[in-house]
Amino acid sequence: MDLEERTEEAELARASAETAGRGLTFLAEASERLSSSLDVETTITHIVALAVPMIADWAAYNAPGPDGTVQTIAIHHPDPQKKALADAIIARYPTRADDEVGIARVLRTGEPELIHDIPDAVLAAVAHDDEHLEMLRGAGFRSLMNVPLIAQGRVIGALGFATGESGRRFGETDLALAMELARRAATALDHARLYAEAQAARREAEAANRAKIEFLSTMSHELRTPLNAIQGYTELLMLGLRGPLTDTQHHDLERVRRANQHLLSLINDILNFARLEAGQVEFEVADVPLEPIIADLEALIMPQFAAGQLTFDHDGCALDTPDRPHHVRGDPEKLRQILLNLLTNAAKFTPSGGRIALACEDDAADGVVRVHVSDSGRGIPADQLERVFEPFVQVDRRLTHSSQQGVGLGLAISRDLARGMGGDL
């Protein structure tokens, strides 16, 4: 080998190394820009803009259409007049899905395409008519590469690159660079698609949830008005303000009153649940001693316990020591509501003559006070313990007397309230 041949070989090696170095720098920048947005349109715009002029004079992104057509989503050229020509060609002569060369073939097969020098025969093969052929010739294409974008084993699009006024000719090194860009672009597009689908699903779920909450809230308010009227007139009659009542009439009105209170309780549960779901419940958290809350509850629940001949064992969550009472961080009214729900729930499902207990326990390690409510009722199967906290769920409903049935919201509401104060149930 003479000196001139060695010099040429060295020059080619140097040029190849420079191209490889520029390619790595380009891919690093491409990855950064592609990952900068989860918006699909922005990602596509980045993809086609990145390639000009590093890879080509022209760059385009194409995707399969819903009806089997080929859609050009974005095209880029730094010269506005060239870009306008390309837009005019695409608008008048959309790519045919059955073309034997070009983007259509790449989308069908998932195989890349490299044409070092574009012969007039290739232009004629994709031209729809003579006028189309002249417009393609006027664009001045010199060399062409089309590479597929493949995500999860499916062709989701194709990148097209062409040279023109620069006179460059694509080679295998250029194709390898384009293929790597396409791989990274496919990953970015797939991530953007998944994100867009997740956002759409979230918006749909939120809209459905808002509709549900609005319905529950409206229904609750509408039902409370006549139920409150029934309650008021029933009490007027029972007080004898409309004349004396027989024992039978008084007994019947008492049943009406109890049934009405039961309905109002169900409506209140639904309304509270709707407010919690909508984030409309406010918490006024403070240091709260448990003993006075338990004392208040006892006055409310003892008539129900007495009617069921139930024994209530508790220490009132009294002081551990004179200087160390059971204090918690919470909203007093929400704490009272939770404990009332648990105690009345226990009373519902404890047979006559049974026992209900309440106890408090300090857990210094976790920095919490645990309040335990237990009863001698039939209990809950272990595999159903989580389900009872789901809205509108009642375990073994067929075993529960209709007078004790609710809508299955008491425990769901109670747990949401507990978690809203930083605790749990």
Side-chain angles (χ1 to χ4, degrees):
M1 180 181 292
D2 58 27
L3 182 60
E4 184 177 345
E5 288 176 334
R6 288 197 186 104
T7 302
E8 183 177 349
E9 183 177 303
E11 182 63 26
L12 288 173
R14 185 188 63 79
S16 177
E18 288 181 354
T19 300
R22 288 197 302 271
L24 290 174
T25 301
F26 167 73
L27 289 174
E29 179 188 353
S31 294
E32 182 178 352
R33 292 184 62 183
L34 288 173
S35 63
S36 66
S37 175
L38 284 173
D39 178 79
V40 175
E41 291 185 1
T42 300
T43 303
I44 291 173
T45 302
H46 283 171
I47 290 170
V48 296
L50 282 171
V52 179
M54 177 62 198
I55 295 180
D57 301 327
W58 296 84
Y61 173 70
N62 301 267
D67 53 356
T69 59
V70 176
Q71 294 183 325
T72 300
I73 309 299
I75 191 166
H76 186 70
H77 190 285
D79 185 343
Q81 291 185 340
K82 291 278 189 179
K83 172 69 164 52
L85 174 61
D87 289 337
I89 293 174
I90 292 168
R92 188 169 176 183
Y93 301 105
T95 302
R96 294 175 298 209
D98 59 351
D99 282 344
E100 292 300 320
V101 295
I103 285 290
R105 189 192 69 81
V106 173
L107 288 174
R108 284 198 313 271
T109 65
E111 297 293 330
E113 180 180 60
L114 171 61
I115 303 176
H116 299 280
D117 292 284
I118 302 176
D120 198 63
V122 170
L123 299 180
V126 297
H128 292 210
D129 53 34
D130 290 343
E131 186 174 354
H132 187 199
L133 178 59
E134 288 305 312
M135 293 177 77
L136 291 174
R137 287 169 175 164
F141 298 127
R142 295 287 183 269
S143 191
L144 177 69
M145 288 189 301
N146 293 311
V147 292
L149 272 64
I150 301 175
Q152 301 185 37
R154 184 173 61 89
V155 178
I156 61 172
L159 289 175
F161 305 104
T163 61
E165 59 275 8
S166 68
R168 293 171 51 194
R169 297 295 186 271
F170 290 133
E172 295 299 329
T173 301
D174 298 300
L175 181 62
L177 182 60
M179 288 288 290
E180 180 58 22
L181 175 63
R183 185 189 68 79
R184 301 185 186 199
T187 300
L189 271 178
D190 196 47
H191 287 170
R193 177 187 62 82
L194 292 173
Y195 177 76
E197 290 177 356
Q199 290 295 95
R202 181 181 62 81
R203 288 192 295 271
E204 184 177 343
E206 288 177 348
N209 197 46
R210 283 195 301 272
K212 176 189 70 177
I213 291 169
E214 289 172 4
F215 167 75
L216 291 175
S217 182
T218 301
M219 182 192 71
S220 300
H221 283 295
E222 291 297 323
L223 290 175
R224 281 164 62 91
T225 300
L227 288 173
N228 283 330
I230 292 171
Q231 183 81 2
Y233 281 111
T234 301
E235 290 175 355
L236 283 176
L237 291 171
M238 293 180 70
L239 289 171
L241 298 180
R242 294 291 188 263
L245 299 175
T246 66
D247 290 344
T248 301
Q249 290 171 331
H250 197 280
H251 175 73
D252 289 344
L253 285 172
E254 176 61 26
R255 293 182 65 183
V256 171
R257 187 188 67 80
R258 286 200 304 268
N260 192 73
Q261 284 183 328
H262 179 63
L263 283 174
L264 278 172
S265 175
L266 301 184
I267 295 303
N268 285 333
D269 279 349
I270 293 173
L271 187 58
N272 287 333
F273 174 72
R275 287 170 175 166
L276 279 166
E277 289 286 290
Q280 295 174 351
V281 174
E282 296 182 358
F283 295 89
E284 297 181 4
V285 178
D287 287 325
V288 182
L290 286 175
E291 186 178 10
I293 288 182
I294 302 302
D296 291 344
L297 285 174
E298 189 170 7
L300 293 173
I301 60 177
M302 284 314 295
Q304 183 180 0
F305 286 5
Q309 298 179 1
L310 303 174
T311 301
F312 185 37
D313 296 333
H314 69 97
D315 61 4
C317 287
L319 306 183
D320 286 349
T321 63
D323 61 343
R324 190 167 173 268
H326 288 293
H327 272 77
V328 296
R329 291 286 294 172
D331 183 314
E333 287 304 315
K334 306 302 188 298
L335 282 170
R336 188 175 288 105
Q337 183 177 350
I338 293 169
L339 291 173
L340 183 61
N341 280 346
L342 295 179
L343 290 168
T344 54
N345 208 51
K348 279 184 183 181
F349 303 105
T350 301
S352 178
R355 174 180 172 274
I356 295 172
L358 183 148
C360 295
E361 171 194 359
D362 273 318
D363 187 333
D366 289 342
V368 299
V369 174
R370 289 192 168 85
V371 182
H372 302 277
V373 175
S374 58
D375 62 69
S376 59
R378 67 176 182 262
I380 302 168
D383 61 350
Q384 299 293 318
L385 286 175
E386 278 302 311
R387 286 192 68 237
V388 298
F389 291 103
E390 296 175 10
F392 305 107
V393 168
Q394 283 190 308
V395 178
D396 288 339
R397 191 178 184 91
R398 66 186 183 281
L399 299 178
T400 305
H401 192 274
S402 59
S403 65
Q404 296 176 320
Q405 291 180 6
V407 289
L409 289 175
L411 290 177
I413 290 171
S414 296
R415 184 158 75 169
D416 284 347
L417 289 175
R419 289 178 174 178
M421 294 183 288
D424 206 351
L425 177 61

